[in-house]
Every structure is written in C-alpha cells, then in structure tokens.
Amino acid sequence: MSTSYTLVDLIICAAANTWKDEGEVLATGIGVVPRIAASLCMLSVNKDLMMTDSEAFMVSEPIPVGARQEGFRPKFESWMGFSRIFDNVWGGKRHALVGPTQVDRFGQSNISAIGGTYDKPKVQMLGVRGFPGNSINHANSFFIPNHNKQVFKDGECDVVCSVGYNPDRLPKGFSMDDIKVGFVYTNLAVMDFGGKNHQLRLLSIHPGVTVEQVVENTSFDIEIPDSVPETPVPTEAQMMLIKEIDPHNLRASVIK
C-alpha cells in the first residue's frame, strides 16, 4: 500500500538529510518547513543533532511546531543563551536551513531588499540580519517554495546578504574551500553547489517534474548529470513522525 503524502512532505523528507552525516552540530531551521525538516532529522537519521527550543534551552527532543498541545512538556538538556549560541556559531558547529528571497549563480543569497536602489529599494524586507557572519562561520542550506527566475536570479542578487562562491567577494583570508553553501530544496528539485567551479548542480527532481522545467525556471546555467534520479518519496515511518512534529498541519500553508 502506497503512503499518502504531499509535495511539502516530500521536500521535508529530502531536507531532513541536510544534517544526516554531520553528527553533533546545531541545526537551525528558519521557518515551518526547515524546522520540521531539522526535527525529522533529529528523530530519525541523525540522533546526535542538536536543537534549541528557539528561546534559551537545548532540547533532547524537537518541539512540535504551532500551539502547544495540552500536557506537552519540553525535554530540556541545558541552557543555550546568546553567549553559547555565538560560541557555537563562531566555532562553525551550526548548519542553518534558511529561506532566502533570491539566490544567484555564486550561491549568494538575499533577504534584504528587491529592485530599485540600495537606498530606495522597490521592496524592503528584513535587512541582512545575521547572514554575513553566519555564512562566513558555518554552513547554510536554502529552502525555496517557488522555484522561478525571479528567485534564481541572473547576475548577482539585488542585495548580497551572504557569502557564496564569488571570488570578487571572498572575505579577507578566505578561499573557495572555506565557503559552506549546502543544499537547495525547491518545489521542483534538490540541488547543491557541488558542480564544476561550484556551479549549481541538479541532484534530483521531484516526481512529475522534468529536468527541462528546472532549467526553464532558473536564470543561470545548472550542471545536469547524465542521469538525474527522482527525489525519494516519504516512507510511512517518516509521515508518522512529520504528523507528530506538525500536529496542526501548518506545513500545508507553505506549498499548496
């Protein structure tokens, strides 16, 4: 009997592999889908993964997203205040899964502003936040719910918020090998920047998606292997865990 799942469930299961082989590293999922993915990883493929309650404590089990169910009590392991978070970040023992508004061919990303000029953008968003320091110090992967040419932008991002594989923007003392842009998960495919000269590379396409669709919705060239597999569909065990992590089905609002 086949397991019932949605596209967002498929992406969550794929993204759970972000931290699969990283051992004891702090996973930070920014947004509903990244957080569920990190939680699923902690409960299944990497039980050494570290997560916080998003406030000030380390937890031994991930906390479900949304309103707390009656009787739920977080299982705290230790205090994880700002000083310890920054020690962790600066030590490189963190891998965040984030949701940028733009990504360019260098793996640079933008969460700050779109269009216009820097002083007067067409759309103002969050600002650069912690992206510059985070991308210099630890790995970052991307979740893009709507794969299109406006997101995967020709040229550079309108505002470059994070470090990528652009030789003209490398921090002083850094080489290409020091940059850690991880995976890219979209509603069409799974990719990384592991192609030749750190080119964006197609790793898998989701069921029903073609390679041509991915290419047509990306403004720059992608490395396409000779054979591109389909992204594995969720297992029954994975779906059971996802429903425990997201009891209110908040994930359904992210990708229709």
Side-chain angles (χ1 to χ4, degrees), residues 144-209:
I144 307 293
N146 186 8
H147 189 141
N148 60 65
K149 288 186 175 181
Q150 286 70 47
V151 176
F152 290 95
K153 188 181 184 301
D154 188 24
E156 282 194 302
C157 293
D158 290 350
V159 179
V160 175
C161 299
S162 67
V163 175
Y165 300 104
N166 184 348
D168 295 330
R169 289 188 182 269
L170 285 178
K172 185 177 181 179
F174 275 63
S175 70
M176 290 290 194
D177 292 336
D178 297 317
I179 306 304
K180 300 175 183 177
V181 182
F183 296 95
V184 183
Y185 305 98
T186 80
N187 60 318
L188 299 180
V190 178
M191 301 170 288
D192 69 5
F193 282 86
K196 185 178 180 181
N197 297 322
H198 300 288
Q199 183 181 19
L200 185 63
R201 174 177 62 176
L202 186 59
L203 298 180
S204 71
I205 51 176
H206 303 333
V209 175

Side-chain angles (χ1 to χ4, degrees), residues 35-240:
R35 182 172 159 186
I36 296 172
S39 300
L40 178 60
C41 181
M42 186 180 186
L43 291 173
S44 55
V45 296
N46 181 2
K47 296 189 177 182
D48 290 328
L49 198 65
M50 299 187 295
M51 290 187 69
T52 71
D53 65 345
S54 299
E55 294 180 10
F57 290 93
M58 194 79 75
V59 292
S60 57
E61 293 181 0
I63 296 176
V65 296
R68 300 281 173 87
Q69 293 183 304
E70 186 176 353
F72 176 79
R73 295 289 184 273
K75 294 184 178 180
F76 297 130
E77 281 196 349
S78 66
W79 174 72
M80 193 69 171
F82 275 124
S83 62
R84 291 189 66 190
I85 286 287
F86 286 125
D87 285 344
N88 183 282
V89 168
W90 294 329
K93 294 292 289 182
R94 184 197 199 198
H95 189 155
L97 179 55
V98 299
T101 304
Q102 291 178 330
V103 177
D104 61 31
R105 65 187 179 92
F106 300 109
Q108 300 171 147
S109 63
N110 176 20
I111 60 169
S112 182
I114 293 177
T117 64
Y118 183 80
D119 293 333
K120 192 175 181 180
K122 183 176 180 181
V123 179
Q124 178 66 57
M125 297 178 295
L126 296 174
V128 300
R129 306 289 290 185
F131 259 33
N134 290 346
S135 60
I136 288 172
N137 286 293
H138 63 74
N140 291 271
S141 291
F142 303 142
F143 165 59
I144 307 293
N146 186 8
H147 189 141
N148 60 65
K149 288 186 175 181
Q150 286 70 47
V151 176
F152 290 95
K153 188 181 184 301
D154 188 24
E156 282 194 302
C157 293
D158 290 350
V159 179
V160 175
C161 299
S162 67
V163 175
Y165 300 104
N166 184 348
D168 295 330
R169 289 188 182 269
L170 285 178
K172 185 177 181 179
F174 275 63
S175 70
M176 290 290 194
D177 292 336
D178 297 317
I179 306 304
K180 300 175 183 177
V181 182
F183 296 95
V184 183
Y185 305 98
T186 80
N187 60 318
L188 299 180
V190 178
M191 301 170 288
D192 69 5
F193 282 86
K196 185 178 180 181
N197 297 322
H198 300 288
Q199 183 181 19
L200 185 63
R201 174 177 62 176
L202 186 59
L203 298 180
S204 71
I205 51 176
H206 303 333
V209 175
T210 66
V211 171
E212 289 71 25
Q213 281 179 277
V214 178
V215 172
E216 289 169 2
N217 283 280
T218 309
S219 294
F220 47 85
D221 291 339
I222 307 173
E223 182 175 297
I224 310 293
D226 293 335
S227 178
V228 181
E230 277 197 349
T231 307
V233 302
T235 65
E236 185 175 349
Q238 286 174 317
M239 286 306 306
M240 289 177 64

